[in-house]
Amino acid sequence: MSEVLSEAALDQLFRTARTYRRSAEAWLDKPVSDAQLHAIYDLARLAPTSANASPARFVFVRSPEAKARLAPALDRGNRDQSMAAPVTVIVAADHAFYEHLPRLYKESPDAIDWFAGKPAAIEGTAFRNSSLQGAYLIMAARAMGLDCGPMSGFNNTLVDETFFAGTKIRSNFLINIGYGNPAVLRPREDRFAFDEVCRIV
């Protein structure tokens, strides 16, 4: 049986973890390596998904050239912080994910038929599960000692044209990853208490 994580681990993943955003000053000038990005993905890929479909696709935008391609698609309020972050991850969903099910979900040989020619099932499964995988990527980055700034606020169509032209991959949301600057943090906003939003039935 698994053991409860230490208080320090729970702090790092949840209680003291913060969303770094708002300005270029949110990020320290400290790079994120290829090895770190591989380690993050190796954890995040273990996320549960429907029929193990794993529709998420990740583009780690790090080079100045790639950042310059991304910049025009960002809302004004997100541009400076994303250009300053060591890495901006495009979390996307492959709407042809079901073509890989014979490899990923061998227990049901007919799994492709659940999605082929069914755009609503494809759309819902791709969006829901890529969102879940993106959340796991955030937790994996935190587990590896990095900070995150997930965000919307960008032109999905332009991102898709720039990074996924000629494919069935569509962007979902972005995550800035790096080493956050604690000096820019504001007090944490309120959260609902258990009894306000939860029921045990």
Side-chain angles (χ1 to χ4, degrees):
M1 181 177 292
S2 299
E3 297 181 1
V4 176
L5 294 178
S6 69
E7 292 298 310
L10 293 173
D11 284 345
Q12 180 169 323
L13 293 174
F14 296 100
R15 293 189 286 245
T16 60
R18 299 295 302 276
T19 298
Y20 285 82
R21 59 192 181 95
R22 290 194 176 92
S23 71
E25 286 71 40
W27 299 102
L28 301 177
D29 185 15
K30 186 176 179 183
V32 174
S33 69
D34 285 4
Q36 287 173 295
L37 296 179
H38 280 268
I40 291 168
Y41 175 72
D42 281 345
L43 294 174
R45 70 192 183 112
L46 301 175
T49 57
S50 302
N52 197 37
S54 306
R57 304 293 181 264
F58 304 104
V59 178
F60 294 95
V61 180
R62 188 179 60 183
S63 70
E65 295 79 12
K67 290 268 190 176
R69 293 170 63 205
L70 178 63
L74 300 174
D75 289 359
R76 181 180 301 176
N78 287 335
R79 195 167 298 147
D80 289 347
Q81 60 182 315
S82 298
M83 294 302 101
V87 179
T88 300
V89 187
I90 303 171
V91 180
D94 186 356
H95 287 229
F97 67 85
Y98 58 90
E99 296 175 358
H100 301 280
L101 290 177
R103 170 189 170 190
L104 298 176
Y105 199 60
K106 296 181 179 65
E107 69 178 73
S108 293
D110 63 341
I112 281 183
D113 298 334
W114 303 346
F115 301 101
K118 300 173 183 175
I122 292 170
E123 171 69 27
T125 301
F127 180 75
R128 181 175 58 256
N129 288 280
S130 66
S131 299
L132 179 61
Q133 290 179 274
Y136 262 70
L137 192 81
I138 292 169
M139 300 308 291
R142 289 177 173 179
M144 298 302 298
L146 294 163
D147 298 302
C148 297
M151 61 187 181
S152 300
F154 66 99
N155 185 321
N156 290 77
T157 300
L158 185 53
V159 166
D160 295 346
E161 291 173 351
T162 302
F163 291 92
F164 306 119
T167 75
K168 294 183 179 179
I169 299 173
R170 301 292 177 263
S171 55
N172 185 340
F173 67 102
L174 307 178
I175 309 170
N176 287 330
I177 292 181
Y179 295 90
N181 177 8
V184 306
L185 290 176
R186 302 179 186 184
R188 190 191 293 274
E189 296 285 2
D190 197 15
R191 298 293 195 274
F192 289 113
F194 185 96
D195 289 342
E196 295 180 279
V197 296
C198 303
R199 290 186 296 160
I200 300 174
V201 296

